[in-house]
Amino acid sequence: AWGMRDWCFTPHFLERFREFFPEAEVHRFDDAGHYVIEDAHERIIPLIAELLDRPSATMENAKPGSASASAST
């Protein structure tokens, strides 16, 4: 969730973030600022709920005994 009216983390920072994390899911809020969750909570809370309801590929790979699970402990 990125507030496009943020005075501190301007859209330039978002573009740089996307260079480092090209697969990241990004939601831009044109009318939100630095406190994006406060400014757009009615739109962000459902997105967070949806994210938490998704099966996680990382968690699926981290089953006991798998290489991923061993590396994380």
Coordinates of all heavy atoms in Angstrom, one line a residue:
A1 N 0.9 -1.2 0.0 CA 0.0 0.0 0.0 C 0.9 1.2 0.0 O 1.7 1.4 0.9 CB -0.9 0.0 1.2
W2 N 0.8 2.0 -1.0 CA 1.6 3.2 -1.2 C 0.8 4.5 -1.4 O 0.0 4.5 -2.3 CB 2.5 3.0 -2.4 CG 3.8 3.9 -2.3 CD1 3.9 5.2 -2.6 CD2 5.0 3.5 -1.8 NE1 5.2 5.6 -2.4 CE2 5.9 4.6 -1.9 CE3 5.6 2.3 -1.4 CZ2 7.2 4.5 -1.6 CZ3 6.9 2.2 -1.0 CH2 7.7 3.3 -1.1
G3 N 0.9 5.4 -0.4 CA 0.2 6.7 -0.6 C 1.0 7.6 -1.5 O 2.1 8.0 -1.3
M4 N 0.4 7.9 -2.7 CA 1.1 8.6 -3.7 C 1.2 10.1 -3.4 O 2.0 10.8 -4.0 CB 0.3 8.5 -5.0 CG 0.2 7.0 -5.5 SD 1.8 6.2 -5.7 CE 2.4 7.0 -7.1
R5 N 0.6 10.6 -2.3 CA 0.8 11.9 -1.8 C 1.7 12.0 -0.6 O 1.8 13.1 0.0 CB -0.6 12.5 -1.5 CG -1.5 12.6 -2.7 CD -2.9 13.2 -2.4 NE -2.7 14.6 -1.8 CZ -3.5 15.1 -1.0 NH1 -4.6 14.5 -0.6 NH2 -3.3 16.4 -0.5
D6 N 2.5 11.0 -0.4 CA 3.4 10.9 0.7 C 4.5 12.0 0.5 O 5.1 12.0 -0.5 CB 4.0 9.5 0.8 CG 4.8 9.3 2.1 OD1 5.3 10.3 2.7 OD2 4.9 8.2 2.5
W7 N 4.7 12.8 1.5 CA 5.7 13.9 1.4 C 7.1 13.4 1.7 O 8.1 14.0 1.3 CB 5.4 15.0 2.5 CG 5.3 14.4 3.9 CD1 4.1 14.0 4.5 CD2 6.3 14.2 4.8 NE1 4.4 13.5 5.7 CE2 5.7 13.6 5.9 CE3 7.7 14.4 4.8 CZ2 6.5 13.3 7.1 CZ3 8.4 14.1 5.9 CH2 7.8 13.5 7.0
C8 N 7.2 12.2 2.3 CA 8.5 11.6 2.7 C 8.9 10.6 1.6 O 10.0 10.7 1.1 CB 8.4 11.0 4.1 SG 10.0 10.3 4.7
F9 N 8.1 9.5 1.5 CA 8.4 8.5 0.5 C 7.6 8.7 -0.8 O 6.5 8.2 -1.0 CB 8.1 7.1 1.1 CG 8.9 6.8 2.3 CD1 8.3 6.8 3.6 CD2 10.3 6.6 2.2 CE1 9.1 6.6 4.7 CE2 11.0 6.3 3.4 CZ 10.4 6.4 4.6
T10 N 8.2 9.6 -1.6 CA 7.5 10.0 -2.8 C 7.4 8.9 -3.8 O 8.0 7.8 -3.6 CB 8.3 11.2 -3.4 OG1 9.6 10.7 -3.8 CG2 8.5 12.3 -2.5
P11 N 6.7 9.0 -4.9 CA 6.6 8.0 -5.9 C 8.0 7.5 -6.5 O 8.1 6.4 -6.9 CB 5.8 8.6 -7.0 CG 4.9 9.6 -6.3 CD 5.7 10.1 -5.2
H12 N 9.0 8.4 -6.4 CA 10.3 8.0 -6.8 C 10.8 6.8 -6.0 O 11.4 5.9 -6.5 CB 11.3 9.2 -6.6 CG 12.7 8.8 -6.8 ND1 13.3 8.5 -8.0 CD2 13.7 8.6 -5.8 CE1 14.6 8.1 -7.7 NE2 14.8 8.2 -6.4
F13 N 10.5 6.8 -4.7 CA 10.9 5.7 -3.8 C 10.2 4.4 -4.2 O 10.7 3.3 -4.1 CB 10.6 6.0 -2.3 CG 11.6 7.0 -1.8 CD1 11.3 8.4 -1.9 CD2 12.8 6.6 -1.1 CE1 12.2 9.3 -1.3 CE2 13.6 7.5 -0.6 CZ 13.4 8.9 -0.7
L14 N 8.9 4.6 -4.6 CA 8.1 3.4 -5.0 C 8.8 2.8 -6.2 O 8.9 1.5 -6.3 CB 6.7 3.7 -5.3 CG 5.8 2.6 -5.9 CD1 5.8 1.4 -5.0 CD2 4.4 3.2 -6.1
E15 N 9.1 3.6 -7.2 CA 9.8 3.0 -8.4 C 11.1 2.3 -8.1 O 11.4 1.3 -8.7 CB 9.9 4.1 -9.4 CG 8.6 4.7 -9.9 CD 7.6 3.7 -10.3 OE1 8.0 2.7 -11.0 OE2 6.4 3.8 -9.9
R16 N 11.8 2.9 -7.2 CA 13.1 2.2 -6.8 C 12.8 0.9 -6.0 O 13.5 -0.1 -6.3 CB 13.9 3.2 -5.9 CG 15.2 2.7 -5.5 CD 16.2 2.8 -6.7 NE 17.5 2.6 -6.3 CZ 18.4 1.8 -6.9 NH1 18.1 1.4 -8.1 NH2 19.6 1.6 -6.5
F17 N 11.8 0.9 -5.2 CA 11.4 -0.3 -4.5 C 11.0 -1.4 -5.5 O 11.4 -2.5 -5.4 CB 10.2 0.1 -3.6 CG 9.5 -1.1 -3.0 CD1 10.0 -1.6 -1.8 CD2 8.4 -1.7 -3.5 CE1 9.3 -2.7 -1.2 CE2 7.7 -2.7 -2.9 CZ 8.2 -3.3 -1.7
R18 N 10.3 -1.0 -6.6 CA 9.9 -1.9 -7.6 C 11.1 -2.5 -8.3 O 11.0 -3.7 -8.8 CB 8.9 -1.3 -8.6 CG 7.6 -0.8 -8.0 CD 6.6 -1.8 -7.8 NE 6.3 -2.4 -9.1 CZ 5.6 -3.5 -9.3 NH1 5.1 -4.1 -8.3 NH2 5.3 -3.9 -10.5
E19 N 12.2 -1.8 -8.4 CA 13.4 -2.3 -9.1 C 14.0 -3.4 -8.2 O 14.5 -4.4 -8.8 CB 14.4 -1.2 -9.2 CG 14.0 -0.2 -10.3 CD 15.0 1.0 -10.4 OE1 16.2 0.8 -9.9 OE2 14.6 2.0 -10.9
F20 N 13.9 -3.3 -6.9 CA 14.5 -4.3 -6.0 C 13.5 -5.5 -5.9 O 14.0 -6.6 -5.6 CB 14.8 -3.7 -4.7 CG 16.0 -2.9 -4.6 CD1 16.0 -1.5 -4.7 CD2 17.3 -3.5 -4.6 CE1 17.1 -0.7 -4.7 CE2 18.5 -2.7 -4.6 CZ 18.4 -1.3 -4.6
F21 N 12.2 -5.2 -5.9 CA 11.2 -6.2 -5.7 C 10.2 -6.2 -6.8 O 9.1 -5.9 -6.6 CB 10.5 -6.0 -4.3 CG 11.5 -5.9 -3.2 CD1 11.9 -4.7 -2.6 CD2 12.1 -7.1 -2.6 CE1 12.7 -4.6 -1.5 CE2 12.9 -7.0 -1.6 CZ 13.3 -5.8 -1.0
P22 N 10.6 -6.7 -8.0 CA 9.7 -6.6 -9.1 C 8.5 -7.4 -9.0 O 7.5 -7.1 -9.7 CB 10.6 -7.0 -10.3 CG 11.7 -7.8 -9.7 CD 11.9 -7.2 -8.3
E23 N 8.5 -8.5 -8.2 CA 7.3 -9.3 -8.1 C 6.4 -8.9 -7.0 O 5.3 -9.5 -6.7 CB 7.8 -10.8 -7.8 CG 8.6 -11.4 -8.9 CD 7.9 -11.4 -10.3 OE1 6.7 -11.8 -10.3 OE2 8.5 -11.1 -11.3
A24 N 6.7 -7.8 -6.3 CA 5.9 -7.4 -5.1 C 4.6 -6.9 -5.6 O 4.5 -6.2 -6.7 CB 6.6 -6.3 -4.4
E25 N 3.6 -7.2 -4.9 CA 2.2 -6.6 -5.2 C 2.1 -5.2 -4.6 O 2.4 -5.0 -3.4 CB 1.2 -7.5 -4.5 CG -0.2 -7.2 -4.8 CD -1.2 -8.2 -4.2 OE1 -0.9 -9.4 -4.1 OE2 -2.3 -7.8 -3.9
V26 N 1.8 -4.3 -5.4 CA 1.7 -2.9 -5.0 C 0.3 -2.3 -5.3 O -0.2 -2.6 -6.3 CB 2.8 -2.0 -5.8 CG1 2.6 -0.6 -5.5 CG2 4.2 -2.5 -5.5
H27 N -0.2 -1.6 -4.3 CA -1.4 -0.9 -4.4 C -1.2 0.5 -4.2 O -0.7 0.9 -3.1 CB -2.5 -1.5 -3.4 CG -2.8 -2.9 -3.7 ND1 -3.8 -3.3 -4.6 CD2 -2.2 -4.0 -3.2 CE1 -3.8 -4.6 -4.6 NE2 -2.9 -5.1 -3.8
R28 N -1.4 1.3 -5.2 CA -1.2 2.8 -5.1 C -2.5 3.5 -4.7 O -3.6 3.1 -5.3 CB -0.7 3.3 -6.5 CG 0.6 2.8 -6.9 CD 0.9 3.2 -8.3 NE 2.2 2.8 -8.7 CZ 2.5 1.6 -9.2 NH1 1.6 0.7 -9.3 NH2 3.8 1.3 -9.5
F29 N -2.4 4.4 -3.8 CA -3.6 5.2 -3.4 C -3.3 6.7 -3.7 O -2.5 7.3 -3.0 CB -3.9 4.9 -1.9 CG -4.3 3.5 -1.7 CD1 -3.3 2.6 -1.4 CD2 -5.6 3.1 -1.8 CE1 -3.6 1.2 -1.2 CE2 -5.9 1.8 -1.6 CZ -5.0 0.8 -1.3
D30 N -3.9 7.2 -4.7 CA -3.7 8.5 -5.2 C -4.0 9.6 -4.2 O -3.4 10.7 -4.2 CB -4.4 8.8 -6.5 CG -3.8 8.0 -7.7 OD1 -2.6 7.7 -7.6 OD2 -4.6 7.7 -8.6
D31 N -5.0 9.3 -3.3 CA -5.5 10.3 -2.4 C -4.9 10.1 -1.0 O -5.4 10.8 -0.1 CB -7.0 10.3 -2.4 CG -7.6 8.9 -2.0 OD1 -6.8 7.9 -2.0 OD2 -8.8 8.9 -1.6
A32 N -4.0 9.3 -0.8 CA -3.4 9.0 0.5 C -2.0 9.5 0.6 O -1.3 9.6 -0.4 CB -3.4 7.5 0.8
G33 N -1.6 9.9 1.8 CA -0.3 10.4 2.1 C 0.6 9.5 2.9 O 0.5 8.3 2.7
H34 N 1.4 10.0 3.7 CA 2.4 9.3 4.5 C 1.7 8.3 5.4 O 2.2 7.2 5.6 CB 3.3 10.3 5.3 CG 4.4 9.6 6.0 ND1 5.5 9.1 5.3 CD2 4.6 9.4 7.3 CE1 6.4 8.6 6.2 NE2 5.9 8.7 7.4
Y35 N 0.6 8.6 6.0 CA -0.1 7.7 6.8 C -1.2 7.0 6.0 O -2.4 7.1 6.3 CB -0.7 8.4 8.0 CG 0.4 9.1 8.8 CD1 0.6 10.5 8.7 CD2 1.2 8.4 9.7 CE1 1.6 11.1 9.5 CE2 2.2 9.0 10.4 CZ 2.4 10.3 10.3 OH 3.4 10.9 11.0
V36 N -0.7 6.2 5.1 CA -1.6 5.6 4.1 C -2.7 4.7 4.7 O -3.8 4.7 4.2 CB -0.8 4.8 3.0 CG1 0.0 3.7 3.6 CG2 -1.7 4.4 1.8
I37 N -2.3 4.0 5.7 CA -3.3 3.1 6.3 C -4.4 3.9 7.0 O -5.6 3.5 7.0 CB -2.7 2.1 7.3 CG1 -1.8 1.2 6.5 CG2 -3.7 1.3 8.1 CD1 -1.0 0.2 7.4
E38 N -4.1 5.0 7.6 CA -5.1 5.9 8.2 C -5.9 6.6 7.1 O -7.1 6.7 7.2 CB -4.5 6.9 9.1 CG -3.9 6.4 10.3 CD -3.3 7.4 11.2 OE1 -3.5 8.6 11.0 OE2 -2.5 7.1 12.1
D39 N -5.3 7.0 6.0 CA -6.0 7.7 5.0 C -6.9 6.9 4.1 O -7.9 7.3 3.6 CB -4.9 8.4 4.0 CG -4.1 9.5 4.7 OD1 -4.5 10.0 5.8 OD2 -3.1 9.9 4.1
A40 N -6.5 5.6 4.0 CA -7.3 4.7 3.1 C -7.6 3.4 3.7 O -7.7 2.3 3.1 CB -6.5 4.5 1.8
H41 N -7.8 3.4 5.0 CA -8.1 2.1 5.8 C -9.2 1.3 5.2 O -9.2 0.1 5.2 CB -8.3 2.4 7.3 CG -9.5 3.2 7.6 ND1 -9.5 4.6 7.5 CD2 -10.7 2.8 7.9 CE1 -10.7 5.0 7.8 NE2 -11.5 4.0 8.1
E42 N -10.3 2.0 4.8 CA -11.5 1.3 4.3 C -11.1 0.5 3.0 O -11.8 -0.5 2.7 CB -12.6 2.2 4.1 CG -12.5 3.2 2.9 CD -11.5 4.4 3.2 OE1 -11.2 4.6 4.3 OE2 -11.2 5.0 2.2
R43 N -10.1 0.8 2.3 CA -9.7 0.1 1.1 C -8.5 -0.8 1.4 O -8.3 -1.8 0.7 CB -9.3 1.1 0.0 CG -10.5 1.8 -0.5 CD -10.1 2.9 -1.5 NE -9.7 4.1 -0.6 CZ -8.9 5.1 -1.1 NH1 -8.6 5.1 -2.4 NH2 -8.6 6.1 -0.3
I44 N -7.7 -0.5 2.4 CA -6.5 -1.4 2.7 C -6.8 -2.6 3.5 O -6.3 -3.7 3.3 CB -5.4 -0.5 3.4 CG1 -4.9 0.5 2.3 CG2 -4.3 -1.3 3.9 CD1 -4.0 1.6 2.9
I45 N -7.7 -2.4 4.5 CA -8.0 -3.6 5.4 C -8.5 -4.8 4.6 O -8.1 -5.9 4.8 CB -9.0 -3.1 6.5 CG1 -8.3 -2.2 7.5 CG2 -9.6 -4.4 7.2 CD1 -9.2 -1.6 8.5
P46 N -9.4 -4.6 3.6 CA -9.8 -5.8 2.8 C -8.6 -6.4 2.0 O -8.6 -7.6 1.9 CB -10.9 -5.2 1.8 CG -11.4 -4.0 2.5 CD -10.3 -3.4 3.3
L47 N -7.7 -5.6 1.6 CA -6.5 -6.1 0.9 C -5.7 -6.9 1.8 O -5.2 -8.0 1.4 CB -5.7 -5.0 0.3 CG -6.4 -4.2 -0.8 CD1 -5.5 -2.9 -1.2 CD2 -6.6 -5.0 -2.1
I48 N -5.5 -6.5 3.0 CA -4.7 -7.2 4.0 C -5.4 -8.5 4.4 O -4.8 -9.6 4.4 CB -4.5 -6.4 5.3 CG1 -3.6 -5.2 5.0 CG2 -3.9 -7.2 6.4 CD1 -3.5 -4.2 6.1
A49 N -6.7 -8.5 4.5 CA -7.5 -9.7 4.8 C -7.4 -10.7 3.7 O -7.2 -11.9 3.9 CB -9.0 -9.4 5.1
E50 N -7.4 -10.2 2.5 CA -7.3 -11.1 1.3 C -5.9 -11.7 1.3 O -5.7 -12.9 1.0 CB -7.5 -10.3 0.0 CG -7.3 -11.1 -1.2 CD -7.3 -10.2 -2.5 OE1 -7.9 -9.2 -2.5 OE2 -6.6 -10.7 -3.4
L51 N -4.9 -10.9 1.6 CA -3.5 -11.4 1.6 C -3.3 -12.5 2.7 O -2.7 -13.5 2.4 CB -2.5 -10.3 1.9 CG -1.1 -10.6 2.1 CD1 -0.5 -11.1 0.7 CD2 -0.3 -9.5 2.6
L52 N -3.9 -12.3 3.8 CA -3.8 -13.3 4.9 C -4.5 -14.6 4.6 O -4.2 -15.6 5.1 CB -4.2 -12.7 6.2 CG -3.4 -11.5 6.7 CD1 -4.0 -10.9 8.0 CD2 -1.9 -12.0 7.0
D53 N -5.6 -14.5 3.8 CA -6.3 -15.7 3.4 C -5.7 -16.5 2.3 O -6.1 -17.6 2.1 CB -7.7 -15.3 3.0 CG -8.6 -14.9 4.1 OD1 -8.3 -15.2 5.3 OD2 -9.6 -14.2 3.9
R54 N -4.7 -15.9 1.6 CA -4.1 -16.7 0.5 C -3.1 -17.8 1.1 O -2.4 -17.6 2.0 CB -3.2 -15.7 -0.3 CG -3.9 -14.7 -1.1 CD -2.9 -13.9 -1.9 NE -3.5 -12.7 -2.3 CZ -2.8 -11.6 -2.7 NH1 -1.5 -11.7 -2.8 NH2 -3.4 -10.5 -3.1
P55 N -3.1 -18.9 0.4 CA -2.1 -19.9 0.7 C -0.7 -19.3 0.3 O -0.6 -18.7 -0.7 CB -2.5 -21.1 -0.1 CG -3.4 -20.6 -1.2 CD -4.0 -19.3 -0.7
S56 N 0.2 -19.5 1.2 CA 1.5 -19.0 1.0 C 2.5 -20.0 0.4 O 2.6 -21.1 0.9 CB 2.1 -18.5 2.3 OG 3.5 -18.1 2.1
A57 N 3.0 -19.7 -0.8 CA 4.0 -20.7 -1.4 C 5.2 -20.9 -0.5 O 5.7 -22.0 -0.4 CB 4.4 -20.1 -2.8
T58 N 5.6 -19.9 0.2 CA 6.7 -20.0 1.1 C 6.4 -21.0 2.2 O 7.2 -21.8 2.6 CB 7.1 -18.6 1.7 OG1 7.4 -17.8 0.7 CG2 8.3 -18.8 2.6
M59 N 5.2 -20.8 2.8 CA 4.8 -21.7 3.9 C 4.6 -23.2 3.4 O 4.9 -24.1 4.1 CB 3.5 -21.2 4.6 CG 3.7 -19.9 5.3 SD 5.0 -19.9 6.6 CE 4.2 -21.0 7.7
E60 N 4.1 -23.3 2.2 CA 4.0 -24.7 1.6 C 5.3 -25.4 1.5 O 5.4 -26.5 1.7 CB 3.2 -24.6 0.3 CG 1.8 -24.2 0.4 CD 1.0 -25.3 1.1 OE1 1.2 -26.5 0.9 OE2 0.2 -24.9 2.0
N61 N 6.3 -24.6 1.1 CA 7.7 -25.2 1.0 C 8.4 -25.4 2.3 O 9.4 -26.0 2.3 CB 8.5 -24.2 0.1 CG 8.0 -24.2 -1.3 OD1 7.4 -25.1 -1.8 ND2 8.2 -23.1 -2.0
A62 N 7.8 -24.8 3.4 CA 8.5 -24.9 4.7 C 7.9 -26.0 5.5 O 7.9 -25.9 6.7 CB 8.4 -23.6 5.4
K63 N 7.5 -27.1 4.9 CA 6.9 -28.2 5.7 C 8.1 -28.9 6.4 O 9.2 -28.9 6.0 CB 6.2 -29.2 4.8 CG 5.0 -28.6 4.2 CD 4.3 -29.6 3.3 CE 3.0 -28.9 2.7 NZ 2.5 -29.7 1.6
P64 N 7.8 -29.4 7.6 CA 8.9 -30.1 8.4 C 9.6 -31.1 7.5 O 9.0 -31.9 6.8 CB 8.1 -30.8 9.5 CG 6.9 -30.0 9.7 CD 6.5 -29.5 8.3
G65 N 11.0 -31.0 7.6 CA 11.8 -32.0 6.9 C 12.2 -31.5 5.5 O 13.1 -32.1 4.9
S66 N 11.6 -30.4 5.0 CA 12.0 -29.9 3.7 C 13.3 -29.0 3.8 O 13.6 -28.6 4.9 CB 10.9 -29.0 3.1 OG 10.7 -27.8 3.8
A67 N 13.9 -28.8 2.7 CA 15.2 -28.0 2.8 C 14.9 -26.6 3.2 O 15.6 -26.0 4.0 CB 15.8 -27.9 1.4
S68 N 13.7 -26.0 2.9 CA 13.3 -24.6 3.3 C 13.2 -24.6 4.8 O 13.6 -23.6 5.5 CB 12.1 -24.2 2.6 OG 12.3 -24.1 1.2
A69 N 12.5 -25.6 5.3 CA 12.2 -25.6 6.8 C 13.6 -25.7 7.5 O 13.8 -25.1 8.6 CB 11.3 -26.8 7.2
S70 N 14.5 -26.5 7.1 CA 15.8 -26.7 7.7 C 16.6 -25.4 7.7 O 17.2 -25.1 8.7 CB 16.6 -27.8 7.1 OG 15.8 -29.0 7.1
A71 N 16.5 -24.7 6.6 CA 17.3 -23.5 6.4 C 16.7 -22.4 7.3 O 17.5 -21.5 7.7 CB 17.2 -23.0 5.0
S72 N 15.5 -22.4 7.7 CA 14.9 -21.3 8.5 C 15.0 -21.5 10.0 O 14.7 -20.7 10.7 CB 13.4 -21.1 8.1 OG 12.7 -22.2 8.4
T73 N 15.5 -22.7 10.4 CA 15.6 -22.9 11.8 C 17.0 -22.8 12.3 O 17.9 -22.7 11.6 CB 15.1 -24.3 12.2 OG1 15.8 -25.3 11.4 CG2 13.6 -24.4 12.0

